[in-house]
Amino acid sequence: MFSFYMHNLNNIDDELQNFYREKGFGNTIGKRIRFVKVYTGCLLVPFPNIETRNRYLKFHDLHHIITGYSVGRIGEGEMSAWELGSGSMHRNPLIGVMNLIAISTGWLLDRRKIWEAFCSGNRSKNLYSREIRMSIENGQWSSIEEISDQVLEYNPTKKINFLKRLEYGFYIAISLFIHFTVAIPAVVLRYFSDVKSGHGLIGSLKPEIRKDIY
């Protein structure tokens, strides 16, 4: 069901470094620029790379590795849905809000994948608890395979109950509100900026061919 980044590496940091190189993030674990761009509609909108995000970034990236979800628009939506399904909002509300910012674009592009990712998260547990983070930092879990065995769909028979469906619907509704609150003004600004730059009316309205959807 999921594809893994298997490179015959036993060290978690080596797996992360390899993941960063493959995705064009550079070679430094857990560090990024001061602002990060998050998919909101058809635009990449810059958000401050706050300290909380940096603290949990390594574990978010490990989630990408163990689930196989990409860093494209749908993939980040899947990742956000998986984390919300696994309880990220309850673990750290700020992380949950960041998930809400990213989930809407993926949901608009492929609702089935986002729902399936949420269901998978419901059967899994994330790496954001202090206990699990310390276990990884202290080397108690020495490989990606071991992390995956411990957290990814560790409870395969767990069902989505009514309250969980209601929670999912609430997340999607709030996410879409954020999406359109941010995206519509950004699209208008981009439109006028493109026209002013000489692209013309038709050129400004013409959508770009994206290669980063998945």
Side-chain angles (χ1 to χ4, degrees), residues 19-202:
F19 173 77
Y20 294 150
R21 284 192 295 269
E22 285 184 355
K23 304 306 176 185
F25 293 149
N27 296 321
T28 303
I29 290 178
K31 292 186 178 180
R32 298 284 193 278
I33 57 178
R34 294 176 63 184
F35 286 86
V36 293
K37 294 181 178 180
V38 178
Y39 283 112
T40 306
C42 60
L43 301 177
L44 280 168
V45 178
F47 286 89
N49 195 7
I50 58 179
E51 179 58 32
T52 298
R53 183 180 184 277
N54 280 318
R55 187 183 311 126
Y56 289 94
L57 180 60
K58 173 179 179 177
F59 306 99
H60 172 81
D61 293 337
L62 285 172
H63 289 160
H64 273 289
I65 294 174
I66 66 174
T67 62
Y69 297 136
S70 77
V71 295
R73 287 188 284 179
I74 292 177
E76 285 293 356
E78 288 177 294
M79 190 73 268
S80 294
W82 186 91
E83 290 190 350
L84 287 167
S86 67
S88 64
M89 184 67 76
H90 308 289
R91 181 66 61 187
N92 187 308
L94 190 54
I95 293 176
V97 169
M98 289 189 284
N99 289 149
L100 291 179
I101 292 171
I103 192 176
S104 59
T105 300
W107 185 83
L108 290 170
L109 290 170
D110 196 323
R111 298 178 187 181
R112 179 185 59 81
K113 284 189 175 183
I114 300 305
W115 169 247
E116 289 177 351
F118 183 82
C119 293
S120 176
N122 183 62
R123 297 188 294 267
S124 307
K125 57 184 174 182
N126 60 59
L127 304 176
Y128 290 141
S129 72
R130 178 176 175 80
E131 179 183 359
I132 292 179
R133 286 187 287 116
M134 293 304 296
S135 295
I136 294 174
E137 297 289 9
N138 294 333
Q140 296 178 29
W141 295 351
S142 59
S143 69
I144 295 297
E145 292 89 342
E146 188 173 358
I147 293 175
S148 178
D149 289 342
Q150 293 291 330
V151 304
L152 185 62
E153 302 217 3
Y154 79 103
N155 189 1
T157 60
K158 187 176 181 180
K159 303 296 183 181
I160 296 285
N161 58 29
F162 173 76
L163 289 178
K164 202 68 176 180
R165 289 177 182 272
L166 194 64
E167 180 182 353
Y168 176 76
F170 174 77
Y171 289 152
I172 295 300
I174 297 299
S175 179
L176 289 174
F177 173 78
I178 296 172
H179 180 109
F180 290 110
T181 300
V182 174
I184 291 177
V187 169
V188 172
L189 287 173
R190 174 181 172 180
Y191 166 73
F192 284 107
S193 175
D194 285 354
V195 170
K196 188 175 180 180
S197 299
H199 290 87
L201 178 63
I202 301 301

